[in-house]
Amino acid sequence: MPEFETVIGLEVHVELLTNTKLFCGCSTAFGADPNTQVCPLCLGLPGGTLPKLNEKAVEYTIKAAMALNCRIADEITFDRKNYYYADLPKGFQISQFFQPTGRDGYVEIHLDGRSKKIGIHQVHLEEDTGKLLHMGDIISSPYSRVDFNRAGVPLIEIVTEPDIRSPEEARLFLQKLRSILRYIAISDCKMEEGSMRCDANISIRPAGSKELRTKTELKNMNSFRAVFRGIEYEVERQRSVVMEGKEVIPQTRHWDEAKGITKAMRSKLVSANYRCFPDPNLPPYKLPAEWLEEIRKSIPELPDSRYSRFTGEYGLPPYDAEILTASREIADYYEAVLTGYNEPKSVSNWIMSELLRLLNSTNTGINDCKIKPEDLGKLLQMIDKGTISGKIAKGVFEEMFATGKKPEDIIKEKGLTQISDEDTIAKIVDSVLAGNPGSVEDYRKGKNKALGFLVGQVMKETKGKANPQLVNKLLKEKLDR
Amino acid sequence: MQINDEELKNASWDARIKLTQQEEKELHEQLQTFFKMAKVLQKIDLGEAEASFGAIKGYNTLRKDIIEPSLPLQLSLENAPDADSSSFLVPKIVEE
Amino acid sequence: MNNRSYSARQLKEQIKNKSLSPQELSSSIISLCNSVQEKYNAFISIDPDIISKEIEALFDDKLKVGDNAPLFGFSYSLGDNIATSGYVTTCASKMLSTYKPPLDAHVFLKLKENGAIIIGKTNMEEFGIGCSGESSYFKGVKNPWNTKHTAGNGAAAAVLTGVVNFSLASDVRGELRQAASYCGVFALKPTYGRISRRGLLDSASSLENIGLMAGNTMDLAAALTAVAGHDPHDVTSLRSEAPDYISLLEGNSKELQAAVPENWQDAPYLEDELKDIFQGQLKKLEELGIKIHFVQLPHFQHSSLTATIISAVEAFSNLANYDGVRFGYRAEGRHLQEMYTLTRSEGFSSKLKKFLTFGALVSSAKYYNDYFLKAQKLRSVITKELEDCLQRYDLLLTPTTPFRAPGPGILPGREELPDPAGYYTAAANLAGLPALTYPLHTKGLPYGLQFTGKKEDELTLLKAALLLENENTLAFPNFDFNNQGV
Ligand SMILES: [Zn+2]
């Protein structure tokens, strides 16, 4: 069986977090009633107003292009892409066909301990379309409703080079892209809500070959999992087509999430002919150098650079660093805890096992987390100092998470301070030994398990507050005497 | 230069227009004159000339990202040939 | 001054000294409108209620229209591709025969501010493309000089008959000036961007402008002063403020240097009589102190071809929103694409259908580079040629059209690609330059003399027109209406 190599290029659409649409002042808020966020311009009504370019949308596009290591164009220009569809109000989409805002960038992904650069062909700004609501599915629907609220919302399209070699790389790329775009806060990148959408161009070729073979375009993948599964399925499908000695047909295919297969869309004989030309209502906007500089300065430290710092400076394992840096807020939180308590690995453990678990189970974002980073630092210090045990600390942590109280207040209120006074513990140990002669007997016969039981009894007596090391030490001394 | 019927049909389809036979005949005639005159386009030396696409050489300006009122729903739907209480209605999308 | 039915200045006096009642004025204007409409089909909408209300406001001291408003007492009309929320705005197309735009055009608001009253919306070629009188859904406009001929559009007929003092209409490849030439009135297409395009239902955004027509230079200047200037809502409008043309026209003018294309006689369909008339005019201009220079403009002759290609491709795109979904005419179809095709095939005129197909053809993948892109390059070359020429001379002088109003006996009434009527006019649209047509009243149908000027220099054109107007007595015909107006 011949070896095949998979060649994947992605086209990712991301809705920008602007207040208003690309060329008019209509709101972009998600979830409004149909056709309540439209005006003569974004409805394409004749004799309405003329397009006026949204400053924020341009700024965000440049920011994204910079964060993806692109070269930035000198001017922002717009072109019309002419075609007919019910969700397209003007009969053309305004996009950047001739001169994208950013070109020739890259994104680095980490895979099996190595890193790989995925080339970014271009980043450009364009308008979104409206939405069609069918009665049932598109094929049987006797008519459809059109909602133009989304028409004209600014989108950026990120087109990769065909550098992706597996479904896993595609998923990692998308996750890294989302992470970067969230770091610079230009989009919420929610695939489920459609604010991040991904199409894939997929082909296979004999391993070692350099030429590009016939590709299919895969659409309708609405989650990271769907991207992975869809591509995986499509690669397999192409492989069996080729193995049967047939040709892959260039076509657009839809991922069917429920059935787990890809399906061909009806192929149009006439090839798409968009007749792109510069929009005569939108002269070029010359980008001032000072503005570009300002935007560049506003870009925070990005995940890759943070990752290297976390593995280098803090000595974190790659796994920890990857998770902590995937979100800017979590990485910020992590570093904020470190300023009060400089034990990188221990803080990482607490965030990754305790904090992220609680955030997930309560569906809370890190920004809404009630535990202040300095309070987490304090809690960890108290464990080190022996003020409380690690076990008690977990209970305190949960209380902090629920109420936002400071750890010292919780400990005081509940009297949770660890008992480290030898005399006090010795008295309790004596009474436990006196009350459990059977266990003492067992221990002396060599059943080490009995020691654990006796420790547990002491802890029970002290409501878990006794210093466990001290309990162990005293019990052993007395038993071995 | 002769435009074949297929090319003309594709072009009119792209404009979502169906020409009558009479109109097709007339357009063929107009195109004959046009292509005769347009030969000059291929002959004249336009040198390094850049395509201009617009009458002004000016630059665009930017608008602040501030929400302005949208149209009241009833006004948006007022001119629609077919609408319900909230949306525009279009016929069946898929042809089959 | 000419002998048209009334002038705004006289009217202002009459309103001031109350020698006229609002009812008298309204009924005389409305009946004049009706006559003009009946005889020439100049209008698509006339609303007597709106006219009466506007006139009452003129007489009402409590209402805002002060008699010091610059256009107090002026009446005007708008081409029906300029948006008015009070009137249907049809673009003379079945597609929009009941369409009420949600907003008013910038020019409408400006004119209201300046005290002018709107008489109605004028008829034109469908979407203002061309001037040969064939494609209006509401039938063609008859030329008041000879009703067998086209007037080009209703705006020109309205000005000629005196039912309005001035009118606004659009100019894609010269339509405004051509119609003015056919009807023997003044017209000015200002520099691209001088007048905001907000509210213009345009077919070719990069070429098309709103322009003005009037019965004399001063009215033209007064109307221009009112509507010109930067509009922050139109990013293609000029940033520079427009001057007060009226006061500047009063100053002395320097000696003007005019260029004439050496090969001006090469226009297809050029009428022999026009050759003589034009040459006669050149002599006359020399006598008036305008110096004539013959110049070489090798690419000027390709202007109409270039503009025809570009306007067709832009119309293909600009009119793609006429799809029967959000507004306008819809034909029933079994599915979406059939609905589109039937809607557009039934809603547009036969002429426009062919023109849009032509636009789709020359921008299709196969022809894009050789035709559409080449035309855009040629546009740069023509623009440069004109700009270089106008660096050395104050204006370019040509006939406005190679022939008089099409009709029986004067041939180019049929559709043609490129449009022969645009031979002299299209260059100003390609280059975005101002151009003015001055009426030449001869035996039979009138001709026009066109001045094309430097960017943003409408003033020189108005000065040249005024110079001629002061020397010539224009013979406006007396129209035989039952009710002669005020
Ligand atoms: Zn809007």
Side-chain angles (χ1 to χ4, degrees):
Chain A
M1 187 166 129
E3 284 284 315
F4 286 105
E5 181 180 44
T6 306
V7 181
I8 302 164
L10 298 180
E11 288 168 14
V12 187
H13 286 92
V14 171
E15 270 182 6
L16 298 179
L17 280 174
T18 54
N19 297 323
T20 65
K21 294 187 179 181
L22 186 50
F23 297 115
C24 62
C26 291
S27 168
T28 57
F30 185 77
D33 288 340
N35 297 302
T36 55
Q37 290 171 175
V38 293
C39 70
L41 186 92
C42 59
L43 273 182
L45 295 186
T49 47
L50 289 154
K52 285 176 81 186
L53 181 55
N54 184 340
E55 178 185 52
K56 259 285 161 314
V58 175
E59 182 191 320
Y60 283 179
T61 310
I62 294 168
K63 212 165 172 175
M66 284 176 171
L68 301 176
N69 306 296
C70 290
R71 272 191 295 123
I72 308 297
D74 299 332
E75 299 175 343
I76 299 292
T77 55
F78 289 99
D79 310 297
R80 291 181 180 181
K81 196 171 151 183
N82 299 285
Y83 68 97
Y84 284 88
Y85 198 56
D87 62 7
L88 190 69
K90 297 190 290 288
F92 54 82
Q93 179 195 28
I94 301 179
S95 179
Q96 296 189 296
F97 179 79
F98 291 108
Q99 194 175 241
T101 299
R103 279 187 219 256
D104 303 332
Y106 64 88
V107 164
E108 222 169 292
I109 57 171
H110 305 290
L111 181 72
D112 306 330
R114 5 167 232 114
S115 69
K116 172 175 175 176
K117 277 183 184 170
I118 307 292
I120 299 292
H121 181 71
Q122 69 179 57
V123 176
H124 67 258
L125 177 57
E126 62 187 27
E127 305 173 291
D128 207 343
T129 60
K131 265 186 189 160
L132 295 179
L133 285 104
H134 309 298
M135 318 297 129
D137 69 293
I138 185 167
I139 294 170
S140 60
S141 188
Y143 64 95
S144 300
R145 292 196 172 92
V146 198
D147 169 13
F148 288 105
N149 281 351
R150 203 181 63 181
V153 168
L155 278 184
I156 54 171
E157 180 173 347
I158 297 144
V159 183
T160 76
E161 299 292 351
D163 291 346
I164 298 168
R165 291 287 168 272
S166 69
E168 177 61 5
E169 285 186 20
R171 196 176 59 83
L172 288 171
F173 169 81
L174 270 186
Q175 283 174 342
K176 177 53 83 58
L177 180 67
R178 179 179 66 170
S179 162
I180 293 170
L181 298 180
R182 285 183 173 173
Y183 260 66
I184 57 174
I186 62 149
S187 173
D188 55 18
C189 295
K190 291 182 181 159
M191 283 196 87
E192 289 73 13
E193 279 181 18
S195 62
M196 185 179 204
R197 286 166 247 162
C198 174
D199 300 336
N201 290 304
I202 304 164
S203 63
I204 58 170
R205 64 186 175 198
S209 160
K210 283 280 161 266
E211 60 178 325
L212 291 174
R213 295 289 175 93
T214 308
K215 64 186 181 190
T216 56
E217 192 184 6
L218 188 55
K219 290 179 178 287
N220 197 38
M221 298 170 289
N222 300 323
S223 65
F224 289 98
R225 199 172 113 86
V227 170
F228 183 88
R229 289 176 64 209
I231 295 175
E232 191 179 43
Y233 178 91
E234 181 58 18
V235 169
E236 238 0 90
R237 190 194 65 84
Q238 288 190 15
R239 198 192 299 261
S240 50
V241 168
V242 173
M243 293 299 289
E244 283 172 34
K246 294 185 198 148
E247 299 260 324
V248 172
I249 305 161
Q251 57 189 184
T252 300
R253 300 182 67 88
H254 262 226
W255 168 244
D256 184 327
E257 178 79 28
K259 296 196 179 119
I261 57 167
T262 68
K263 285 190 295 197
M265 295 299 285
R266 205 168 49 86
S267 61
K268 264 242 167 267
L269 288 175
V270 188
S271 66
N273 188 345
Y274 293 126
R275 296 176 166 80
C276 293
F277 67 89
D279 192 311
N281 288 324
L282 290 160
Y285 177 73
K286 205 160 186 62
L287 289 169
E290 319 83 67
W291 195 38
L292 290 179
E293 203 35 53
E294 225 174 272
I295 297 172
R296 199 175 285 284
K297 280 188 189 142
S298 75
I299 296 176
E301 188 187 17
L302 294 174
D304 280 337
S305 150
R306 255 188 159 165
Y307 174 88
S308 336
R309 213 155 50 71
F310 280 23
T311 50
E313 202 177 301
Y314 301 143
L316 290 184
Y319 178 75
D320 290 34
E322 191 82 42
I323 289 179
L324 292 177
T325 59
S327 142
R328 179 183 171 187
E329 288 76 17
I330 291 184
D332 285 348
Y333 189 93
Y334 172 74
E335 294 206 276
V337 178
L338 287 191
T339 56
Y341 178 74
N342 197 12
E343 290 293 337
K345 180 59 187 157
S346 157
V347 174
S348 164
N349 290 346
W350 270 81
I351 289 181
M352 301 219 322
S353 58
E354 300 304 319
L355 185 62
L356 293 183
R357 178 178 60 80
L358 284 178
L359 288 174
N360 278 337
S361 66
T362 56
N363 209 6
T364 312
I366 182 96
N367 291 334
D368 301 321
C369 174
K370 289 185 182 151
I371 304 181
K372 290 208 186 86
E374 61 265 30
D375 290 340
L376 177 54
K378 269 189 215 154
L379 180 72
L380 302 188
Q381 266 171 355
M382 289 178 185
I383 302 172
D384 283 1
K385 281 188 198 146
T387 316
I388 51 171
S389 68
K391 200 165 170 208
I392 292 243
K394 285 186 185 166
V396 173
F397 183 82
E398 284 183 16
E399 175 90 16
M400 287 165 74
F401 187 84
T403 62
K405 286 185 187 160
K406 293 190 172 303
E408 59 269 30
D409 293 344
I410 297 170
I411 289 164
K412 201 187 260 169
E413 267 170 37
K414 303 206 163 168
L416 295 175
T417 311
Q418 187 160 273
I419 305 168
S420 298
D421 176 51
E422 237 184 280
D423 291 344
T424 316
I425 294 176
K427 272 180 205 148
I428 299 164
V429 165
D430 287 340
S431 82
V432 165
L433 291 178
N436 294 282
S439 296
V440 174
E441 195 64 19
D442 286 350
Y443 178 81
R444 294 205 168 121
K445 280 181 188 155
K447 284 190 184 164
N448 276 331
K449 249 190 177 170
L451 179 64
F453 173 77
L454 292 167
V455 170
Q457 291 306 305
V458 177
M459 295 312 277
K460 201 173 163 190
E461 286 293 308
T462 60
K463 297 198 177 90
K465 290 184 290 185
N467 182 326
Q469 280 90 38
L470 217 51
V471 174
N472 254 307
K473 188 188 129 211
L474 291 175
L475 266 172
K476 274 191 166 172
E477 278 174 14
K478 291 187 193 258
L479 287 165
D480 295 344
R481 211 177 294 156
Chain B
M1 173 76 72
Q2 207 36 350
I3 298 290
N4 65 44
D5 289 348
E6 187 67 20
E7 278 178 324
L8 210 58
K9 282 217 159 54
N10 285 341
S12 64
W13 161 254
D14 285 352
R16 293 301 183 274
I17 277 170
K18 191 167 166 41
L19 298 174
T20 62
Q21 270 185 348
Q22 176 63 24
E23 286 163 351
E24 267 176 29
K25 195 173 141 261
E26 287 164 5
L27 184 53
H28 268 300
E29 277 165 25
Q30 288 177 31
L31 287 172
Q32 256 174 6
T33 327
F34 169 77
F35 280 111
K36 214 182 289 162
M37 295 209 38
K39 266 191 201 141
V40 67
L41 281 175
Q42 317 312 327
K43 277 190 202 142
I44 46 178
D45 177 21
L46 295 172
E48 299 293 287
E50 268 194 43
S52 56
F53 289 103
I56 47 160
K57 293 192 185 82
Y59 283 105
N60 206 343
T61 49
L62 301 178
R63 159 181 74 83
K64 293 275 175 230
D65 185 26
I66 295 166
I67 295 177
E68 283 161 40
S70 290
L71 273 186
L73 179 65
Q74 161 243 332
L75 260 185
S76 298
L77 299 175
E78 189 183 33
N79 280 299
D82 194 5
D84 61 17
S85 60
S86 70
S87 298
F88 300 91
L89 302 182
V90 294
K92 203 170 169 48
I93 305 281
V94 180
E95 286 170 36
E96 295 83 56
Chain C
M1 278 298 142
N2 57 59
N3 61 347
R4 291 170 332 112
S5 42
Y6 66 90
S7 88
R9 285 163 193 83
Q10 289 159 0
L11 189 62
K12 186 171 171 174
E13 282 311 306
Q14 287 174 301
I15 294 173
K16 260 177 150 175
N17 61 34
K18 307 250 158 70
S19 63
L20 192 69
S21 78
Q23 291 74 20
E24 278 174 303
L25 183 57
S26 297
S27 71
S28 81
I29 286 183
I30 291 164
S31 83
L32 185 58
C33 276
N34 289 337
S35 310
V36 166
Q37 180 57 13
E38 214 168 282
K39 289 193 158 181
Y40 312 119
N41 196 29
F43 290 93
I44 288 175
S45 309
I46 305 168
D47 187 334
D49 288 344
I50 296 181
I51 297 174
S52 306
K53 265 189 208 122
E54 297 222 349
I55 286 171
E56 270 164 37
L58 287 184
F59 286 82
D60 192 338
D61 303 333
K62 288 189 293 283
L63 289 175
K64 262 226 167 121
V65 193
D67 57 13
N68 54 352
L71 294 181
F72 185 89
F74 280 73
S75 61
Y76 77 98
S77 63
L78 289 177
D80 212 21
N81 58 347
I82 299 174
T84 43
S85 57
Y87 287 98
V88 289
T89 298
T90 68
C91 292
S93 179
K94 179 180 178 184
M95 195 63 104
L96 289 180
S97 56
T98 59
Y99 179 66
K100 276 203 174 184
L103 303 169
D104 287 310
H106 179 78
V107 288
F108 174 84
L109 299 172
K110 282 295 227 185
L111 290 170
K112 196 177 185 109
E113 222 175 274
N114 279 271
I117 51 174
I118 181 166
I119 297 300
K121 305 289 294 288
T122 52
N123 199 351
M124 55 189 216
E125 286 291 277
E126 191 180 20
F127 287 95
I129 306 166
C131 210
S132 51
E134 302 157 305
S135 65
S136 171
Y137 179 57
F138 303 94
K139 305 240 161 53
V141 184
K142 290 174 185 161
N143 195 315
W145 295 87
N146 179 341
T147 52
K148 289 197 177 72
H149 292 256
T150 179
N153 63 32
V159 167
L160 176 62
T161 54
V163 66
V164 295
N165 298 103
F166 65 90
S167 64
L168 273 66
S170 77
D171 193 294
V172 188
R173 301 179 311 229
E175 292 80 351
L176 171 101
R177 288 160 284 154
Q178 292 160 20
S181 168
Y182 295 164
C183 286
V185 299
F186 292 78
L188 171 65
K189 178 201 95 68
T191 309
Y192 185 91
R194 176 61 91 197
I195 298 176
S196 168
R197 295 186 299 120
R198 179 154 54 101
L200 173 65
L201 284 72
D202 54 358
S203 68
S205 307
S206 84
L207 298 167
E208 196 165 350
N209 267 158
I210 295 175
L212 306 143
M213 288 190 209
N216 60 68
T217 311
M218 291 314 273
D219 283 359
L220 205 55
L224 178 63
T225 304
V227 294
H230 179 62
D231 172 14
H233 299 293
D234 173 3
V235 296
T236 64
S237 86
L238 294 173
R239 306 278 201 280
S240 57
E241 274 315 309
D244 176 355
Y245 296 96
I246 294 278
S247 65
L248 289 172
L249 269 179
E250 281 156 8
N252 283 336
S253 57
K254 55 163 188 148
E255 188 186 69
L256 293 173
Q257 309 290 322
V260 176
E262 214 176 42
N263 58 345
W264 67 272
Q265 297 193 38
D266 289 350
Y269 303 103
L270 183 65
E271 285 181 27
D272 286 339
E273 200 187 318
L274 176 57
K275 288 183 193 167
D276 299 339
I277 290 175
F278 186 70
Q279 263 148 355
Q281 284 298 317
L282 293 184
K283 278 207 198 82
K284 198 160 189 181
L285 289 167
E286 292 259 27
E287 283 162 22
L288 291 173
I290 297 179
K291 217 155 155 19
I292 306 295
H293 307 265
F294 286 92
V295 297
Q296 286 194 344
L297 293 172
H299 296 94
F300 181 84
Q301 57 183 320
H302 307 306
S303 313
S304 187
L305 172 72
T306 310
T308 298
I309 295 173
I310 295 171
S311 68
V313 178
E314 288 191 19
F316 162 82
S317 174
N318 273 25
L319 305 187
N321 57 336
Y322 294 81
D323 60 5
V325 177
R326 297 159 312 281
F327 61 86
Y329 178 75
R330 177 196 279 197
E332 292 310 319
R334 284 165 303 170
H335 51 78
L336 182 70
Q337 299 297 338
E338 187 181 78
M339 184 278 280
Y340 285 157
T341 309
L342 291 176
T343 294
R344 293 168 61 81
S345 301
E346 292 172 17
F348 290 143
S349 70
S350 182
K351 180 181 169 187
L352 186 57
K353 284 166 68 183
K354 285 174 270 179
F355 188 64
L356 295 177
T357 302
F358 169 70
L361 185 75
V362 289
S363 59
S364 65
K366 182 172 168 192
Y367 298 99
Y368 189 99
N369 285 342
D370 283 348
Y371 293 90
F372 181 48
L373 196 64
K374 276 266 170 66
Q376 296 287 15
K377 286 187 173 178
L378 193 49
R379 176 183 201 167
S380 304
V381 170
I382 292 168
T383 302
K384 171 116 197 346
E385 206 168 274
L386 281 175
E387 282 175 351
D388 288 350
C389 170
L390 288 164
Q391 287 245 305
R392 297 167 54 209
Y393 308 102
D394 298 304
L395 45 89
L396 181 72
L397 201 61
T398 60
T400 306
T401 50
F403 39 78
R404 291 167 293 172
I410 293 177
L411 238 185
R414 58 200 172 91
E415 304 164 27
E416 230 173 284
L417 298 169
D419 180 8
Y423 187 86
Y424 299 112
T425 52
N429 300 84
L430 290 170
L433 300 177
L436 181 146
T437 175
Y438 178 85
L440 297 173
H441 293 175
T442 57
K443 238 180 1 85
L445 294 166
Y447 286 103
L449 191 60
Q450 179 180 247
F451 310 129
T452 303
K454 292 181 178 60
K455 198 158 265 187
E456 302 195 28
D457 185 14
E458 289 80 9
L459 188 63
T460 298
L461 306 184
L462 290 167
K463 280 188 170 172
L466 193 59
L467 188 66
L468 248 84
E469 190 184 350
N470 288 340
E471 295 301 321
N472 277 333
T473 315
L474 287 171
F476 278 91
N478 252 314
F479 296 101
D480 180 25
F481 299 127
N482 299 333
N483 187 336
Q484 186 59 32
V486 186

